[in-house]
PDB file of all heavy atoms in Angstrom:
ATOM      1  N   ILE A   1      16.046  28.295   8.796  1.00  0.00           N
ATOM      2  CA  ILE A   1      15.138  29.367   9.180  1.00  0.00           C
ATOM      3  C   ILE A   1      14.247  29.732   8.001  1.00  0.00           C
ATOM      4  O   ILE A   1      14.568  29.468   6.841  1.00  0.00           O
ATOM      5  CB  ILE A   1      15.883  30.615   9.692  1.00  0.00           C
ATOM      6  CG1 ILE A   1      16.712  31.266   8.584  1.00  0.00           C
ATOM      7  CG2 ILE A   1      16.775  30.266  10.887  1.00  0.00           C
ATOM      8  CD1 ILE A   1      17.345  32.604   9.012  1.00  0.00           C
ATOM      9  N   GLY A   2      13.129  30.357   8.312  1.00  0.00           N
ATOM     10  CA  GLY A   2      12.204  30.853   7.296  1.00  0.00           C
ATOM     11  C   GLY A   2      11.456  32.050   7.835  1.00  0.00           C
ATOM     12  O   GLY A   2      10.983  32.026   8.978  1.00  0.00           O
ATOM     13  N   ARG A   3      11.398  33.117   7.051  1.00  0.00           N
ATOM     14  CA  ARG A   3      10.765  34.373   7.480  1.00  0.00           C
ATOM     15  C   ARG A   3      11.295  34.831   8.840  1.00  0.00           C
ATOM     16  O   ARG A   3      10.559  35.337   9.691  1.00  0.00           O
ATOM     17  CB  ARG A   3       9.240  34.236   7.514  1.00  0.00           C
ATOM     18  CG  ARG A   3       8.622  33.949   6.146  1.00  0.00           C
ATOM     19  CD  ARG A   3       7.112  33.958   6.189  1.00  0.00           C
ATOM     20  NE  ARG A   3       6.541  33.559   4.925  1.00  0.00           N
ATOM     21  CZ  ARG A   3       6.304  34.387   3.893  1.00  0.00           C
ATOM     22  NH1 ARG A   3       6.607  35.674   4.011  1.00  0.00           N
ATOM     23  NH2 ARG A   3       5.776  33.935   2.775  1.00  0.00           N
ATOM     24  N   GLY A   4      12.594  34.622   9.044  1.00  0.00           N
ATOM     25  CA  GLY A   4      13.252  35.101  10.251  1.00  0.00           C
ATOM     26  C   GLY A   4      13.086  34.230  11.468  1.00  0.00           C
ATOM     27  O   GLY A   4      13.664  34.507  12.516  1.00  0.00           O
ATOM     28  N   LYS A   5      12.338  33.140  11.363  1.00  0.00           N
ATOM     29  CA  LYS A   5      12.084  32.257  12.498  1.00  0.00           C
ATOM     30  C   LYS A   5      12.823  30.925  12.329  1.00  0.00           C
ATOM     31  O   LYS A   5      13.043  30.465  11.211  1.00  0.00           O
ATOM     32  CB  LYS A   5      10.582  31.978  12.658  1.00  0.00           C
ATOM     33  CG  LYS A   5       9.745  33.197  13.032  1.00  0.00           C
ATOM     34  CD  LYS A   5       8.270  32.809  13.140  1.00  0.00           C
ATOM     35  CE  LYS A   5       7.414  33.997  13.564  1.00  0.00           C
ATOM     36  NZ  LYS A   5       7.644  34.354  14.979  1.00  0.00           N
ATOM     37  N   LEU A   6      13.160  30.321  13.461  1.00  0.00           N
ATOM     38  CA  LEU A   6      13.805  29.019  13.428  1.00  0.00           C
ATOM     39  C   LEU A   6      12.808  27.945  13.015  1.00  0.00           C
ATOM     40  O   LEU A   6      11.715  27.841  13.586  1.00  0.00           O
ATOM     41  CB  LEU A   6      14.382  28.693  14.807  1.00  0.00           C
ATOM     42  CG  LEU A   6      15.163  27.383  14.908  1.00  0.00           C
ATOM     43  CD1 LEU A   6      16.474  27.478  14.124  1.00  0.00           C
ATOM     44  CD2 LEU A   6      15.442  27.033  16.371  1.00  0.00           C
ATOM     45  N   ILE A   7      13.190  27.147  12.019  1.00  0.00           N
ATOM     46  CA  ILE A   7      12.357  26.031  11.570  1.00  0.00           C
ATOM     47  C   ILE A   7      12.910  24.706  12.090  1.00  0.00           C
ATOM     48  O   ILE A   7      12.165  23.831  12.524  1.00  0.00           O
ATOM     49  CB  ILE A   7      12.258  26.000  10.034  1.00  0.00           C
ATOM     50  CG1 ILE A   7      11.509  27.235   9.525  1.00  0.00           C
ATOM     51  CG2 ILE A   7      11.579  24.731   9.554  1.00  0.00           C
ATOM     52  CD1 ILE A   7      11.422  27.318   8.010  1.00  0.00           C
ATOM     53  N   ALA A   8      14.226  24.558  12.042  1.00  0.00           N
ATOM     54  CA  ALA A   8      14.832  23.302  12.489  1.00  0.00           C
ATOM     55  C   ALA A   8      16.257  23.531  12.936  1.00  0.00           C
ATOM     56  O   ALA A   8      16.962  24.394  12.405  1.00  0.00           O
ATOM     57  CB  ALA A   8      14.789  22.256  11.376  1.00  0.00           C
ATOM     58  N   ALA A   9      16.676  22.764  13.927  1.00  0.00           N
ATOM     59  CA  ALA A   9      18.070  22.723  14.373  1.00  0.00           C
ATOM     60  C   ALA A   9      18.353  21.277  14.727  1.00  0.00           C
ATOM     61  O   ALA A   9      17.931  20.786  15.772  1.00  0.00           O
ATOM     62  CB  ALA A   9      18.292  23.632  15.576  1.00  0.00           C
ATOM     63  N   SER A  10      19.034  20.576  13.834  1.00  0.00           N
ATOM     64  CA  SER A  10      19.223  19.139  14.028  1.00  0.00           C
ATOM     65  C   SER A  10      20.414  18.659  13.216  1.00  0.00           C
ATOM     66  O   SER A  10      20.971  19.405  12.403  1.00  0.00           O
ATOM     67  CB  SER A  10      17.968  18.371  13.600  1.00  0.00           C
ATOM     68  OG  SER A  10      17.777  18.446  12.190  1.00  0.00           O
ATOM     69  N   SER A  11      20.760  17.416  13.414  1.00  0.00           N
ATOM     70  CA  SER A  11      21.802  16.817  12.587  1.00  0.00           C
ATOM     71  C   SER A  11      21.275  16.645  11.172  1.00  0.00           C
ATOM     72  O   SER A  11      20.057  16.621  10.942  1.00  0.00           O
ATOM     73  CB  SER A  11      22.223  15.465  13.153  1.00  0.00           C
ATOM     74  OG  SER A  11      21.175  14.514  12.985  1.00  0.00           O
ATOM     75  N   MET A  12      22.193  16.530  10.218  1.00  0.00           N
ATOM     76  CA  MET A  12      21.794  16.308   8.832  1.00  0.00           C
ATOM     77  C   MET A  12      20.942  15.045   8.720  1.00  0.00           C
ATOM     78  O   MET A  12      19.901  15.021   8.055  1.00  0.00           O
ATOM     79  CB  MET A  12      23.037  16.191   7.954  1.00  0.00           C
ATOM     80  CG  MET A  12      22.762  15.822   6.505  1.00  0.00           C
ATOM     81  SD  MET A  12      21.975  17.135   5.566  1.00  0.00           S
ATOM     82  CE  MET A  12      23.357  18.268   5.397  1.00  0.00           C
ATOM     83  N   LYS A  13      21.375  13.986   9.385  1.00  0.00           N
ATOM     84  CA  LYS A  13      20.670  12.710   9.312  1.00  0.00           C
ATOM     85  C   LYS A  13      19.248  12.829   9.832  1.00  0.00           C
ATOM     86  O   LYS A  13      18.302  12.336   9.210  1.00  0.00           O
ATOM     87  CB  LYS A  13      21.440  11.654  10.098  1.00  0.00           C
ATOM     88  CG  LYS A  13      20.835  10.255  10.042  1.00  0.00           C
ATOM     89  CD  LYS A  13      21.699   9.258  10.805  1.00  0.00           C
ATOM     90  CE  LYS A  13      21.101   7.857  10.738  1.00  0.00           C
ATOM     91  NZ  LYS A  13      21.941   6.876  11.490  1.00  0.00           N
ATOM     92  N   GLU A  14      19.071  13.499  10.967  1.00  0.00           N
ATOM     93  CA  GLU A  14      17.743  13.656  11.552  1.00  0.00           C
ATOM     94  C   GLU A  14      16.849  14.512  10.664  1.00  0.00           C
ATOM     95  O   GLU A  14      15.653  14.222  10.511  1.00  0.00           O
ATOM     96  CB  GLU A  14      17.860  14.280  12.941  1.00  0.00           C
ATOM     97  CG  GLU A  14      18.490  13.377  13.980  1.00  0.00           C
ATOM     98  CD  GLU A  14      18.795  14.108  15.275  1.00  0.00           C
ATOM     99  OE1 GLU A  14      18.870  15.368  15.253  1.00  0.00           O
ATOM    100  OE2 GLU A  14      18.972  13.433  16.302  1.00  0.00           O
ATOM    101  N   PHE A  15      17.410  15.556  10.088  1.00  0.00           N
ATOM    102  CA  PHE A  15      16.621  16.456   9.250  1.00  0.00           C
ATOM    103  C   PHE A  15      16.073  15.727   8.022  1.00  0.00           C
ATOM    104  O   PHE A  15      14.894  15.826   7.699  1.00  0.00           O
ATOM    105  CB  PHE A  15      17.477  17.643   8.813  1.00  0.00           C
ATOM    106  CG  PHE A  15      16.735  18.669   8.004  1.00  0.00           C
ATOM    107  CD1 PHE A  15      15.919  19.596   8.609  1.00  0.00           C
ATOM    108  CD2 PHE A  15      16.866  18.703   6.623  1.00  0.00           C
ATOM    109  CE1 PHE A  15      15.226  20.543   7.864  1.00  0.00           C
ATOM    110  CE2 PHE A  15      16.183  19.640   5.863  1.00  0.00           C
ATOM    111  CZ  PHE A  15      15.357  20.570   6.494  1.00  0.00           C
ATOM    112  N   VAL A  16      16.935  14.980   7.356  1.00  0.00           N
ATOM    113  CA  VAL A  16      16.521  14.272   6.145  1.00  0.00           C
ATOM    114  C   VAL A  16      15.569  13.127   6.484  1.00  0.00           C
ATOM    115  O   VAL A  16      14.583  12.889   5.774  1.00  0.00           O
ATOM    116  CB  VAL A  16      17.750  13.746   5.375  1.00  0.00           C
ATOM    117  CG1 VAL A  16      17.321  12.864   4.210  1.00  0.00           C
ATOM    118  CG2 VAL A  16      18.593  14.908   4.862  1.00  0.00           C
ATOM    119  N   ALA A  17      15.847  12.427   7.586  1.00  0.00           N
ATOM    120  CA  ALA A  17      14.994  11.299   7.965  1.00  0.00           C
ATOM    121  C   ALA A  17      13.582  11.749   8.313  1.00  0.00           C
ATOM    122  O   ALA A  17      12.624  10.970   8.180  1.00  0.00           O
ATOM    123  CB  ALA A  17      15.609  10.556   9.146  1.00  0.00           C
ATOM    124  N   GLY A  18      13.421  12.995   8.743  1.00  0.00           N
ATOM    125  CA  GLY A  18      12.113  13.496   9.114  1.00  0.00           C
ATOM    126  C   GLY A  18      11.226  13.850   7.938  1.00  0.00           C
ATOM    127  O   GLY A  18      10.039  14.126   8.116  1.00  0.00           O
ATOM    128  N   ALA A  19      11.765  13.836   6.745  1.00  0.00           N
ATOM    129  CA  ALA A  19      10.969  14.177   5.557  1.00  0.00           C
ATOM    130  C   ALA A  19      10.037  13.032   5.190  1.00  0.00           C
ATOM    131  O   ALA A  19      10.366  11.856   5.338  1.00  0.00           O
ATOM    132  CB  ALA A  19      11.882  14.491   4.375  1.00  0.00           C
ATOM    133  N   SER A  20       8.846  13.373   4.699  1.00  0.00           N
ATOM    134  CA  SER A  20       7.867  12.351   4.339  1.00  0.00           C
ATOM    135  C   SER A  20       8.252  11.589   3.085  1.00  0.00           C
ATOM    136  O   SER A  20       7.643  10.574   2.758  1.00  0.00           O
ATOM    137  CB  SER A  20       6.491  12.998   4.136  1.00  0.00           C
ATOM    138  OG  SER A  20       6.530  13.946   3.083  1.00  0.00           O
ATOM    139  N   GLY A  21       9.282  12.046   2.370  1.00  0.00           N
ATOM    140  CA  GLY A  21       9.700  11.359   1.153  1.00  0.00           C
ATOM    141  C   GLY A  21      10.445  10.067   1.407  1.00  0.00           C
ATOM    142  O   GLY A  21      10.724   9.313   0.481  1.00  0.00           O
ATOM    143  N   SER A  22      10.801   9.789   2.677  1.00  0.00           N
ATOM    144  CA  SER A  22      11.528   8.568   2.978  1.00  0.00           C
ATOM    145  C   SER A  22      10.635   7.349   2.764  1.00  0.00           C
ATOM    146  O   SER A  22       9.449   7.367   3.065  1.00  0.00           O
ATOM    147  CB  SER A  22      12.027   8.596   4.427  1.00  0.00           C
ATOM    148  OG  SER A  22      12.887   9.684   4.643  1.00  0.00           O
ATOM    149  N   SER A  23      11.220   6.291   2.235  1.00  0.00           N
ATOM    150  CA  SER A  23      10.467   5.065   1.975  1.00  0.00           C
ATOM    151  C   SER A  23      11.411   3.870   2.033  1.00  0.00           C
ATOM    152  O   SER A  23      12.614   4.028   2.232  1.00  0.00           O
ATOM    153  CB  SER A  23       9.792   5.140   0.596  1.00  0.00           C
ATOM    154  OG  SER A  23      10.768   5.221  -0.437  1.00  0.00           O
ATOM    155  N   VAL A  24      10.851   2.681   1.885  1.00  0.00           N
ATOM    156  CA  VAL A  24      11.638   1.453   1.860  1.00  0.00           C
ATOM    157  C   VAL A  24      11.386   0.754   0.526  1.00  0.00           C
ATOM    158  O   VAL A  24      10.234   0.556   0.126  1.00  0.00           O
ATOM    159  CB  VAL A  24      11.274   0.518   3.031  1.00  0.00           C
ATOM    160  CG1 VAL A  24      12.106  -0.765   2.958  1.00  0.00           C
ATOM    161  CG2 VAL A  24      11.490   1.217   4.367  1.00  0.00           C
ATOM    162  N   ARG A  25      12.458   0.402  -0.148  1.00  0.00           N
ATOM    163  CA  ARG A  25      12.363  -0.268  -1.441  1.00  0.00           C
ATOM    164  C   ARG A  25      12.477  -1.777  -1.213  1.00  0.00           C
ATOM    165  O   ARG A  25      13.421  -2.246  -0.564  1.00  0.00           O
ATOM    166  CB  ARG A  25      13.479   0.226  -2.353  1.00  0.00           C
ATOM    167  CG  ARG A  25      13.525  -0.403  -3.735  1.00  0.00           C
ATOM    168  CD  ARG A  25      14.700   0.179  -4.520  1.00  0.00           C
ATOM    169  NE  ARG A  25      14.890  -0.472  -5.787  1.00  0.00           N
ATOM    170  CZ  ARG A  25      14.283  -0.137  -6.915  1.00  0.00           C
ATOM    171  NH1 ARG A  25      13.425   0.873  -6.910  1.00  0.00           N
ATOM    172  NH2 ARG A  25      14.519  -0.771  -8.047  1.00  0.00           N
ATOM    173  N   VAL A  26      11.511  -2.513  -1.746  1.00  0.00           N
ATOM    174  CA  VAL A  26      11.465  -3.953  -1.521  1.00  0.00           C
ATOM    175  C   VAL A  26      11.303  -4.687  -2.855  1.00  0.00           C
ATOM    176  O   VAL A  26      10.488  -4.292  -3.693  1.00  0.00           O
ATOM    177  CB  VAL A  26      10.286  -4.348  -0.597  1.00  0.00           C
ATOM    178  CG1 VAL A  26      10.343  -5.841  -0.256  1.00  0.00           C
ATOM    179  CG2 VAL A  26      10.263  -3.508   0.667  1.00  0.00           C
ATOM    180  N   ARG A  27      12.069  -5.759  -3.016  1.00  0.00           N
ATOM    181  CA  ARG A  27      11.890  -6.675  -4.154  1.00  0.00           C
ATOM    182  C   ARG A  27      11.588  -8.058  -3.595  1.00  0.00           C
ATOM    183  O   ARG A  27      12.289  -8.546  -2.706  1.00  0.00           O
ATOM    184  CB  ARG A  27      13.154  -6.747  -5.012  1.00  0.00           C
ATOM    185  CG  ARG A  27      13.396  -5.536  -5.879  1.00  0.00           C
ATOM    186  CD  ARG A  27      14.645  -5.733  -6.745  1.00  0.00           C
ATOM    187  NE  ARG A  27      14.881  -4.612  -7.622  1.00  0.00           N
ATOM    188  CZ  ARG A  27      14.294  -4.459  -8.810  1.00  0.00           C
ATOM    189  NH1 ARG A  27      13.439  -5.385  -9.245  1.00  0.00           N
ATOM    190  NH2 ARG A  27      14.560  -3.411  -9.551  1.00  0.00           N
ATOM    191  N   THR A  28      10.546  -8.659  -4.112  1.00  0.00           N
ATOM    192  CA  THR A  28      10.142  -9.983  -3.647  1.00  0.00           C
ATOM    193  C   THR A  28       9.367 -10.705  -4.737  1.00  0.00           C
ATOM    194  O   THR A  28       8.635 -10.057  -5.503  1.00  0.00           O
ATOM    195  CB  THR A  28       9.268  -9.876  -2.383  1.00  0.00           C
ATOM    196  OG1 THR A  28       8.754 -11.170  -2.052  1.00  0.00           O
ATOM    197  CG2 THR A  28       8.103  -8.914  -2.585  1.00  0.00           C
ATOM    198  N   PRO A  29       9.495 -12.034  -4.828  1.00  0.00           N
ATOM    199  CA  PRO A  29       8.668 -12.786  -5.782  1.00  0.00           C
ATOM    200  C   PRO A  29       7.217 -12.903  -5.316  1.00  0.00           C
ATOM    201  O   PRO A  29       6.354 -13.364  -6.072  1.00  0.00           O
ATOM    202  CB  PRO A  29       9.351 -14.155  -5.827  1.00  0.00           C
ATOM    203  CG  PRO A  29      10.080 -14.273  -4.539  1.00  0.00           C
ATOM    204  CD  PRO A  29      10.511 -12.880  -4.185  1.00  0.00           C
ATOM    205  N   SER A  30       6.949 -12.469  -4.074  1.00  0.00           N
ATOM    206  CA  SER A  30       5.587 -12.532  -3.529  1.00  0.00           C
ATOM    207  C   SER A  30       5.056 -11.117  -3.295  1.00  0.00           C
ATOM    208  O   SER A  30       4.670 -10.750  -2.184  1.00  0.00           O
ATOM    209  CB  SER A  30       5.583 -13.327  -2.214  1.00  0.00           C
ATOM    210  OG  SER A  30       6.167 -14.597  -2.371  1.00  0.00           O
ATOM    211  N   ALA A  31       5.054 -10.334  -4.370  1.00  0.00           N
ATOM    212  CA  ALA A  31       4.713  -8.917  -4.255  1.00  0.00           C
ATOM    213  C   ALA A  31       3.307  -8.694  -3.716  1.00  0.00           C
ATOM    214  O   ALA A  31       3.095  -7.869  -2.820  1.00  0.00           O
ATOM    215  CB  ALA A  31       4.874  -8.242  -5.614  1.00  0.00           C
ATOM    216  N   ASP A  32       2.327  -9.414  -4.243  1.00  0.00           N
ATOM    217  CA  ASP A  32       0.942  -9.224  -3.810  1.00  0.00           C
ATOM    218  C   ASP A  32       0.781  -9.536  -2.329  1.00  0.00           C
ATOM    219  O   ASP A  32       0.092  -8.821  -1.595  1.00  0.00           O
ATOM    220  CB  ASP A  32      -0.012 -10.098  -4.633  1.00  0.00           C
ATOM    221  CG  ASP A  32      -0.100  -9.648  -6.087  1.00  0.00           C
ATOM    222  OD1 ASP A  32       0.269  -8.489  -6.371  1.00  0.00           O
ATOM    223  OD2 ASP A  32      -0.531 -10.457  -6.926  1.00  0.00           O
ATOM    224  N   GLN A  33       1.425 -10.593  -1.880  1.00  0.00           N
ATOM    225  CA  GLN A  33       1.343 -10.980  -0.472  1.00  0.00           C
ATOM    226  C   GLN A  33       1.965  -9.916   0.431  1.00  0.00           C
ATOM    227  O   GLN A  33       1.419  -9.569   1.481  1.00  0.00           O
ATOM    228  CB  GLN A  33       2.031 -12.325  -0.248  1.00  0.00           C
ATOM    229  CG  GLN A  33       1.921 -12.844   1.180  1.00  0.00           C
ATOM    230  CD  GLN A  33       2.672 -14.160   1.385  1.00  0.00           C
ATOM    231  OE1 GLN A  33       3.246 -14.712   0.436  1.00  0.00           O
ATOM    232  NE2 GLN A  33       2.676 -14.644   2.612  1.00  0.00           N
ATOM    233  N   LEU A  34       3.098  -9.338  -0.005  1.00  0.00           N
ATOM    234  CA  LEU A  34       3.757  -8.311   0.796  1.00  0.00           C
ATOM    235  C   LEU A  34       2.907  -7.052   0.858  1.00  0.00           C
ATOM    236  O   LEU A  34       2.771  -6.440   1.928  1.00  0.00           O
ATOM    237  CB  LEU A  34       5.130  -7.978   0.212  1.00  0.00           C
ATOM    238  CG  LEU A  34       5.889  -6.881   0.966  1.00  0.00           C
ATOM    239  CD1 LEU A  34       6.347  -7.406   2.313  1.00  0.00           C
ATOM    240  CD2 LEU A  34       7.058  -6.352   0.165  1.00  0.00           C
ATOM    241  N   VAL A  35       2.324  -6.669  -0.263  1.00  0.00           N
ATOM    242  CA  VAL A  35       1.485  -5.469  -0.289  1.00  0.00           C
ATOM    243  C   VAL A  35       0.319  -5.630   0.681  1.00  0.00           C
ATOM    244  O   VAL A  35      -0.024  -4.710   1.436  1.00  0.00           O
ATOM    245  CB  VAL A  35       0.984  -5.187  -1.711  1.00  0.00           C
ATOM    246  CG1 VAL A  35      -0.110  -4.115  -1.702  1.00  0.00           C
ATOM    247  CG2 VAL A  35       2.134  -4.741  -2.607  1.00  0.00           C
ATOM    248  N   ARG A  36      -0.324  -6.811   0.674  1.00  0.00           N
ATOM    249  CA  ARG A  36      -1.447  -7.046   1.596  1.00  0.00           C
ATOM    250  C   ARG A  36      -0.976  -6.964   3.048  1.00  0.00           C
ATOM    251  O   ARG A  36      -1.652  -6.397   3.911  1.00  0.00           O
ATOM    252  CB  ARG A  36      -2.090  -8.404   1.323  1.00  0.00           C
ATOM    253  CG  ARG A  36      -2.897  -8.479   0.028  1.00  0.00           C
ATOM    254  CD  ARG A  36      -3.769  -9.726  -0.014  1.00  0.00           C
ATOM    255  NE  ARG A  36      -2.954 -10.946  -0.012  1.00  0.00           N
ATOM    256  CZ  ARG A  36      -2.520 -11.552  -1.110  1.00  0.00           C
ATOM    257  NH1 ARG A  36      -2.832 -11.037  -2.303  1.00  0.00           N
ATOM    258  NH2 ARG A  36      -1.797 -12.654  -1.039  1.00  0.00           N
ATOM    259  N   ALA A  37       0.197  -7.495   3.319  1.00  0.00           N
ATOM    260  CA  ALA A  37       0.708  -7.533   4.685  1.00  0.00           C
ATOM    261  C   ALA A  37       1.033  -6.139   5.214  1.00  0.00           C
ATOM    262  O   ALA A  37       0.681  -5.788   6.345  1.00  0.00           O
ATOM    263  CB  ALA A  37       1.948  -8.431   4.754  1.00  0.00           C
ATOM    264  N   VAL A  38       1.708  -5.320   4.403  1.00  0.00           N
ATOM    265  CA  VAL A  38       2.074  -3.981   4.881  1.00  0.00           C
ATOM    266  C   VAL A  38       0.847  -3.078   4.957  1.00  0.00           C
ATOM    267  O   VAL A  38       0.763  -2.216   5.830  1.00  0.00           O
ATOM    268  CB  VAL A  38       3.174  -3.345   3.993  1.00  0.00           C
ATOM    269  CG1 VAL A  38       4.446  -4.177   4.045  1.00  0.00           C
ATOM    270  CG2 VAL A  38       2.705  -3.131   2.567  1.00  0.00           C
ATOM    271  N   THR A  39      -0.113  -3.281   4.043  1.00  0.00           N
ATOM    272  CA  THR A  39      -1.345  -2.488   4.076  1.00  0.00           C
ATOM    273  C   THR A  39      -2.126  -2.775   5.350  1.00  0.00           C
ATOM    274  O   THR A  39      -2.702  -1.867   5.965  1.00  0.00           O
ATOM    275  CB  THR A  39      -2.205  -2.784   2.837  1.00  0.00           C
ATOM    276  OG1 THR A  39      -1.470  -2.469   1.654  1.00  0.00           O
ATOM    277  CG2 THR A  39      -3.482  -1.954   2.864  1.00  0.00           C
ATOM    278  N   ALA A  40      -2.126  -4.038   5.768  1.00  0.00           N
ATOM    279  CA  ALA A  40      -2.815  -4.420   7.003  1.00  0.00           C
ATOM    280  C   ALA A  40      -2.187  -3.762   8.226  1.00  0.00           C
ATOM    281  O   ALA A  40      -2.838  -3.582   9.257  1.00  0.00           O
ATOM    282  CB  ALA A  40      -2.799  -5.936   7.161  1.00  0.00           C
ATOM    283  N   LYS A  41      -0.922  -3.375   8.114  1.00  0.00           N
ATOM    284  CA  LYS A  41      -0.226  -2.714   9.218  1.00  0.00           C
ATOM    285  C   LYS A  41      -0.342  -1.184   9.147  1.00  0.00           C
ATOM    286  O   LYS A  41       0.244  -0.477   9.957  1.00  0.00           O
ATOM    287  CB  LYS A  41       1.255  -3.099   9.203  1.00  0.00           C
ATOM    288  CG  LYS A  41       1.524  -4.566   9.503  1.00  0.00           C
ATOM    289  CD  LYS A  41       1.146  -4.925  10.938  1.00  0.00           C
ATOM    290  CE  LYS A  41       1.509  -6.364  11.255  1.00  0.00           C
ATOM    291  NZ  LYS A  41       1.156  -6.715  12.666  1.00  0.00           N
ATOM    292  N   GLY A  42      -1.112  -0.684   8.155  1.00  0.00           N
ATOM    293  CA  GLY A  42      -1.330   0.750   8.052  1.00  0.00           C
ATOM    294  C   GLY A  42      -0.360   1.480   7.142  1.00  0.00           C
ATOM    295  O   GLY A  42      -0.436   2.710   7.025  1.00  0.00           O
ATOM    296  N   ALA A  43       0.549   0.758   6.506  1.00  0.00           N
ATOM    297  CA  ALA A  43       1.498   1.391   5.587  1.00  0.00           C
ATOM    298  C   ALA A  43       0.870   1.547   4.206  1.00  0.00           C
ATOM    299  O   ALA A  43      -0.165   0.943   3.903  1.00  0.00           O
ATOM    300  CB  ALA A  43       2.774   0.571   5.499  1.00  0.00           C
ATOM    301  N   THR A  44       1.496   2.354   3.369  1.00  0.00           N
ATOM    302  CA  THR A  44       1.068   2.508   1.987  1.00  0.00           C
ATOM    303  C   THR A  44       2.171   2.010   1.071  1.00  0.00           C
ATOM    304  O   THR A  44       3.342   1.985   1.453  1.00  0.00           O
ATOM    305  CB  THR A  44       0.757   3.979   1.653  1.00  0.00           C
ATOM    306  OG1 THR A  44       1.936   4.769   1.855  1.00  0.00           O
ATOM    307  CG2 THR A  44      -0.358   4.513   2.540  1.00  0.00           C
TER     308      THR A  44
END
């Protein structure tokens, strides 16, 4: 809650997953190729 109002009511997993800080960590020998591929799909 915040300022007396309900902000969220969810499972812990759902609450954390909804944050914009979530990301995917990737290691690859073809880093430039992967960056181009995910960028083409609209990811950052």
Side-chain angles (χ1 to χ4, degrees):
I1 66 173
R3 297 186 186 274
K5 294 179 178 289
L6 183 69
I7 294 177
S10 68
S11 70
M12 174 70 72
K13 183 178 181 180
E14 291 171 340
F15 183 79
V16 173
S20 61
S22 300
S23 63
V24 179
R25 179 181 174 87
V26 186
R27 285 183 178 276
T28 173
S30 306
D32 292 341
Q33 183 183 358
L34 179 71
V35 169
R36 288 194 296 270
V38 298
T39 301
K41 294 294 184 179
T44 60

